[in-house]
Amino acid sequence: MNPTLLSMLAIIIAGGATALQAPTNARLATAVASPVNAAFVSFAVGTAALGIMALALQTRPDIQAAKALPAWAWAGGLYGVVFVVAAAWAVPRLGVAMTVTLMVAGQLLLSLTLDHFGALGVPRQPLNLGRIAGVALVIAGVVLVRRS
C-alpha cells in the first residue's frame, strides 16, 4: 500500500478513536465522580498499554537526545490532559458530535497558525485561500452540528 495512503488511513482510524474516547471518558467520569478522575484512569490505562508496547517492540529512548530537547517538547502529555478532561466534561453537555467538531475546529485553527509561522519546529506553510477556506468549512460544520 502507498505510504501516504497508509498514513492517511492511520490518521482516520486515530480520529475515530478520538470520537470513541470522548464518550468513553464521559461515562467513566460519571462512575469515578469527575472528569479529572476519569482522565487519571484513562492516562493510567494508556501508560500501561504504552509500557507493554515499548517492551514488545523493544524500543529504547535516546537519553542524550531527550536531555537536549527544549522545555516545550515535554508538554505533550499536558495537552492530552486538557483534551481528555474537556471531552469527558463536554460530552454529557454538548454531545459527541458537537464536542468532537469543536475540538477539530480548535485543532485546525491552531494548526494553521503553527504552520504559518513554522512554530515548534514544523515546516513553514504560509496561509493561503485554500487552507483558510478548508478551516472555514469545518467551522461552518460546527454551526450546522449545533443547529441540528
Side-chain angles (χ1 to χ4, degrees), residues 103-130:
M103 287 183 160
V104 170
Q107 289 171 347
L108 287 171
L109 288 170
L110 186 54
S111 296
L112 282 179
T113 304
L114 295 172
D115 277 353
H116 180 73
F117 293 105
L120 304 180
V122 302
R124 191 168 186 281
Q125 296 184 37
L127 285 175
N128 61 41
L129 189 56

Side-chain angles (χ1 to χ4, degrees), residues 41-57:
V41 171
S42 180
F43 276 86
V45 171
T47 299
L50 286 170
I52 292 166
M53 285 176 65
L55 287 172
L57 297 173

Side-chain angles (χ1 to χ4, degrees), residues 55-129:
L55 287 172
L57 297 173
Q58 299 181 350
T59 60
R60 297 190 190 347
D62 181 338
I63 300 301
Q64 295 302 62
K67 287 180 181 179
L69 289 171
W72 58 261
W74 294 92
L78 298 176
Y79 310 143
V81 167
V82 172
F83 174 87
V84 172
V85 171
W89 180 84
V91 164
R93 292 160 178 81
L94 302 174
V96 178
M98 187 63 181
T99 299
V100 172
T101 305
L102 287 167
M103 287 183 160
V104 170
Q107 289 171 347
L108 287 171
L109 288 170
L110 186 54
S111 296
L112 282 179
T113 304
L114 295 172
D115 277 353
H116 180 73
F117 293 105
L120 304 180
V122 302
R124 191 168 186 281
Q125 296 184 37
L127 285 175
N128 61 41
L129 189 56

